[in-house]
Amino acid sequence: MTDDGKRRLLDLGIKRVFDLRSLKEVQRLSNGEIFVIPGVELVSVPALVIAKGDQMGNTFQRFECGTDQPFMESYSDILNEGTASFRTIFEFLRDHLSSGDGCLIHCTAGKDRTGVTSMLILDLIGVSDEEIAKDYALTRIGLETSRDSLIARFQHLLDNPDTRPGAENAFSSRVSVMQAFLKVLRQSYGGAEGYLKDRVGFPDEDIRKIRESLLGTGTPSLL
């Protein structure tokens, strides 16, 4: 991250950065760089075990069908494996947002694990499925600045005719994917509130506080 980027985070009131990547993923991609911003806490909240680079070809084979179904499986895995991570993130939203502290949530591409997290937040406060899906699709625009580095990282798979179709599908962020996964979320849990209560363990009162903090209608926490 550039110095200008760090200043922008501070200007936005960011006090905590939640990193959804696995520790091995961070080590493999950081190139020894240490993320330090005075006054900002970095919190590791791995939401999914990601295959190593030499296993990604097998992962992309799941996506070579070109349909939305592989995303349903992958995003369901995020919900299943990420309960502890989501608890940490939503505890922050419950306890600190109303005091003016902000947070940044990211993974590697900011599309899948971050997309599922954003879906939960937006659904919890009543944003329509249509708008949540549009927000997810905007990832395609946001990825443009890092597109070259992502392509370089997986160039060997993109150059391989056997894995290229799957890789291209996996890198996409179609409206239809999020629309379909919102249906999965509702069928499985009744929505974000049900997931946060039944799987993550938040009681009704915490759900109320989280929602009020997100909407800016709650009272400042004394924590």
Side-chain angles (χ1 to χ4, degrees), residues 48 130 144:
L48 184 67
E130 180 183 4
E144 282 304 313

Side-chain angles (χ1 to χ4, degrees), residues 174-187:
R174 298 185 295 274
V175 166
S176 60
V177 168
M178 185 51 67
Q179 289 175 329
F181 192 63
L182 281 162
K183 292 181 180 179
V184 172
L185 177 71
R186 306 213 189 292
Q187 291 169 356

